[in-house]
């Protein structure tokens, strides 16, 4: 519990930042590639934005984050 609390800021930034980036990326792709209006494109992005623990771990590893952050994120994410 203390380790999670000690690393709450980087975990939160990674978790929230990656989901927001995914939502915006999918929305932009839906808007420009599929011709969706912005609101439906963001709805599509919001549906696809939440990541599963395996994808989050892969991204965290690729970013070079410490292993303890990956472990903490995997413990908090629903399975």
């Amino acid at each position: 519990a203390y380790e999670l609390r000690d690393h709450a800021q980087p975990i939160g930034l990674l978790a929230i930042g990656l989901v927001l980036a995914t939502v915006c990326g999918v929305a932009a792709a839906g808007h420009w590639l599929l011709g969706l209006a912005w609101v439906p494109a963001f709805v599509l992005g919001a549906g696809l934005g939440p990541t599963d623990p395996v994808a989050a771990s892969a991204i965290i590893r690729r970013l070079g984050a410490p292993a303890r952050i990956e472990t903490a994120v995997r413990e908090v994410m629903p399975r």
Side-chain angles (χ1 to χ4, degrees), residues 3-32:
E3 188 170 307
L4 180 61
R5 192 175 320 139
D6 292 341
H7 301 292
Q9 184 178 5
I11 290 170
L13 288 174
L14 283 172
I16 294 169
L18 292 175
V19 170
L20 286 176
T22 303
V23 168
C24 291
V26 170
H31 177 72
W32 287 311

Side-chain angles (χ1 to χ4, degrees), residues 50-68:
T51 58
D52 61 297
V54 175
S57 294
I59 292 169
I60 290 169
R61 265 187 251 120
R62 234 181 300 158
L63 291 175
R68 64 182 180 273

